[in-house]
Amino acid sequence: MKQVEQWDKEYVWHPFTQMKEWVAQPQLTIVGGEGVKLIDDEGRSYYDGVSSLWVNLHGHRHPTINRAIVEQLDKIAHSSLLGLINEPAARLAAELMEVVPAGLKKVFYSDDGSTAVEIAIKQAYQYWQLKGKAKKKTFVTLANAYHGDTVGTVSVGGIDLFHRIFKSLLFPSIQVPCPNCYHCQLAKTEESCAMACLTAVETVLKERHEEIAALVVEPLIQAAAGMLTQPKGYLKGLRELTKKYDVLLLVDEVATGFGRTGKMFACEHEGVTPDFLMVAKGITGGYLPLAATFMTQEIYEAFLGDYGEQKTFFHGHSYTGNPLACAAALGNLQVFREERLLESLPGKVVQVKTALDKIGKLKHVGDIRQCGLMVGIELMADAKTKTPYPWEAAVGARVCAEARRLGMIIRPLGNIVVFMPPLASKETELAEMTAILEKAIRSVTEDGAGQDSPAVFI
Ligand SMILES: *Cc1c(COP(=O)(O)O)cnc(C)c1O
């Protein structure tokens, strides 16, 4: 075993990983990147088919972002935002205000998606305390929601596998049904349902709005749950209902933000401005950890008062507003402008859809869900009767192992194969990536060829 792998296996505990399996199997070491490819320590290259876990937008080593970081590094790597201004953080705030939905006026920085959501939860809670409506303390969340891994964000999460062990550690929240049609929890069919999932939300808000602070939602698509897409109009419906019942709307765009759904933010698809909007993953183009929580003027002003009133939001992190990360984020926005990235997306979305239509016809593909360049392919033992593969068969993991052998790194969510290419992927690259996807699915579910391939841990 190489030295690096030895160190890793002796000392490093990997995220979301069964370490017993990890140390028992050969693992890949990434030493470089080039465009939308990752390069291993033996010089082999692989398509970065899930954008390095949903963060990378413009490929690796993009000259504009590299330059932005290096130029800032020559000035200073870090100074605190506690009691001091730094130029990248201030400039980035101004530039972000140009692209977020109208009505969001302030930004609070942090380091990752979990903290961005955590901050929105705490501010929404404190907001009602400050407004003299102290009873409004509870959060409404969707079944299958994922908002991060801290205790606060797990409290508004709903992925049983990840969250059940921590149950007694969490604050209680109210769960409404997951709005995905393929997995409809209300046993409706799309034609006849009249969006019963939205009616279920209204029932809760109507009854309990006096104790409800906010509703938290991933817009258009619940990504970590398995790319569970929502019916058109659901998000807009949530905005109308939360307004009607005086409940704040917290929209978690950590996964969907920065072009991933085909528009800069998912909210734009339905003309929604939330009370809070949270972003992270793509904000630096996938270069450095940075997150942002946006809020309206109304929220911000509730916290204003004299020093002695102690209305302050007592929250911050050591690296809040880190200049290097903010410089990377400025580079990211520059690439969006200079390369007219948003204009290039509709064509790519259609290209991927065409390739997926073909994959959708494969025998063991139960459902394909696409939202912009976010894709989930759900595999089924029997697609017709919606009979899932047993968990132990690790079919999703086997498809990903096979894809890796064919030259693309992807990761599954259970038996759902996730495909989320960098937005900058060219037409030829997308064609090769979707071809690998199809080949890997076929070889594992039809030919049986990949069935002995080692399951990378999911
Ligand atoms: C990834 C993700 C988070 C958590 O972000 P981290 O940076 O991993 O803490 C929160 N919400 C959504 C929707 C996500 O996809």
Side-chain angles (χ1 to χ4, degrees):
M1 207 187 305
K2 291 179 190 157
Q3 178 71 79
V4 171
E5 191 166 344
Q6 237 164 33
W7 282 328
D8 179 279
K9 288 181 171 175
E10 190 163 355
Y11 303 117
V12 181
W13 189 340
H14 285 255
F16 279 90
T17 301
Q18 177 43 260
M19 294 307 296
K20 183 178 171 204
E21 290 176 28
W22 176 269
V23 297
Q25 292 168 4
Q27 302 294 349
L28 207 54
T29 301
I30 297 300
V31 297
E34 182 68 59
V36 297
K37 288 190 164 177
L38 298 165
I39 299 160
D40 74 9
D41 56 357
E42 290 179 358
R44 281 185 299 245
S45 64
Y46 307 81
Y47 281 114
D48 191 356
V50 284
S51 299
S52 292
L53 242 296
W54 317 355
V55 300
N56 190 282
L57 303 179
H58 314 296
H60 298 277
R61 285 173 48 221
H62 192 291
T64 306
I65 304 179
N66 278 22
R67 196 180 326 115
I69 295 170
V70 170
E71 280 176 9
Q72 181 57 40
L73 196 53
D74 277 338
K75 295 176 191 159
I76 187 169
H78 182 68
S79 63
S80 176
L81 215 56
L82 272 79
L84 296 168
I85 293 173
N86 77 65
E87 193 198 330
R91 185 186 296 273
L92 177 62
E95 287 198 14
L96 286 168
M97 291 308 154
E98 299 287 313
V99 296
V100 294
L104 295 168
K105 298 288 184 200
K106 304 285 171 185
V107 61
F108 196 104
Y109 290 118
S110 59
D111 313 323
D112 52 49
S114 305
T115 51
V117 176
E118 193 92 23
I119 284 159
I121 290 172
K122 287 177 71 179
Q123 288 190 339
Y125 182 94
Q126 187 172 345
Y127 170 80
W128 291 117
Q129 302 295 310
L130 294 170
K131 293 294 263 189
K133 294 195 175 176
K135 279 196 298 185
K136 285 172 88 66
K137 289 181 173 178
T138 310
F139 289 81
V140 177
T141 173
L142 272 57
N144 297 318
Y146 179 81
H147 297 290
D149 293 328
T150 57
V151 170
T153 55
V154 169
S155 296
V156 294
I159 298 187
D160 196 47
L161 174 68
F162 303 162
H163 299 157
R164 68 176 167 239
I165 181 97
F166 301 111
K167 198 152 196 296
S168 71
L169 193 59
L170 310 176
F171 61 76
S173 60
I174 304 170
Q175 199 177 76
V176 293
C178 168
N180 179 255
C181 294
Y182 187 73
H183 292 282
C184 184
Q185 296 179 321
L186 302 167
K188 304 277 183 184
T189 58
E190 239 168 296
E191 300 75 36
S192 67
C193 76
M195 253 197 264
C197 44
L198 207 51
T199 315
V201 176
E202 173 143 34
T203 307
V204 166
L205 296 189
K206 199 170 178 176
E207 264 174 32
R208 302 179 67 176
H209 63 92
E210 284 181 2
E211 55 175 294
I212 296 172
L215 184 147
V216 196
V217 65
E218 297 161 76
L220 304 197
I221 180 165
Q222 292 181 282
M227 301 292 151
L228 298 177
T229 46
Q230 299 162 7
K232 204 164 179 252
Y234 180 79
L235 180 66
K236 196 169 195 293
L238 289 183
R239 177 67 286 188
E240 284 160 8
L241 289 175
T242 47
K243 271 217 174 101
K244 183 171 167 190
Y245 292 102
D246 206 17
V247 162
L248 298 172
L249 179 65
L250 278 47
V251 172
D252 178 353
E253 293 235 27
V254 171
T256 53
F258 297 96
R260 208 60 84 170
T261 67
K263 291 189 189 286
M264 196 60 158
F265 295 103
C267 281
E268 293 170 33
H269 290 274
E270 307 214 341
V272 162
T273 296
D275 300 290
F276 287 89
L277 181 107
M278 298 79 88
V279 299
K281 292 190 170 95
I283 189 173
T284 60
Y287 275 63
L288 288 167
L290 179 71
T293 307
F294 298 92
M295 65 293 296
T296 60
Q297 190 70 18
E298 158 79 14
I299 300 288
Y300 175 77
E301 283 181 3
F303 289 71
L304 302 180
D306 295 330
Y307 187 74
E309 289 182 83
Q310 300 189 338
K311 287 180 167 183
T312 305
F313 182 52
F314 290 108
H315 183 114
H317 301 282
S318 314
Y319 286 100
T320 294
N322 171 258
L324 267 192
C326 290
L330 284 164
N332 171 39
L333 293 176
Q334 189 184 341
V335 180
F336 265 98
R337 289 190 299 268
E338 288 177 356
E339 301 185 5
R340 297 174 167 275
L341 187 63
L342 290 170
E343 289 164 43
S344 77
L345 293 180
K348 295 177 187 184
V349 173
V350 170
Q351 187 195 344
V352 168
K353 184 179 182 311
T354 308
L356 291 174
D357 284 345
K358 209 170 140 221
I359 294 174
K361 295 197 180 85
L362 299 181
K363 192 164 159 233
H364 292 281
V365 172
D367 192 27
I368 295 202
R369 298 181 285 270
Q370 180 186 9
C371 180
L373 288 177
M374 303 171 77
V375 174
I377 302 170
E378 183 152 4
L379 304 172
M380 286 279 166
D382 188 337
K384 282 209 185 67
T385 58
K386 274 201 195 179
T387 311
Y389 281 106
W391 172 260
E392 313 78 68
V395 170
R398 285 178 199 288
V399 169
C400 293
E402 181 65 7
R404 187 180 285 198
R405 206 180 61 78
L406 297 168
M408 176 164 73
I409 308 276
I410 47 175
R411 279 177 68 89
L413 292 160
N415 288 331
I416 295 147
V417 177
V418 173
F419 176 55
M420 214 191 279
L423 303 185
S425 307
K426 297 186 188 79
E427 199 177 324
T428 47
E429 293 166 334
L430 286 173
E432 282 185 45
M433 285 190 249
T434 50
I436 292 175
L437 205 50
E438 180 178 347
K439 222 183 262 176
I441 292 171
R442 286 186 94 122
S443 95
V444 171
T445 61
E446 293 176 18
D447 313 339
Q451 285 186 0
D452 299 324
S453 56
V456 280
F457 182 69
I458 40 177

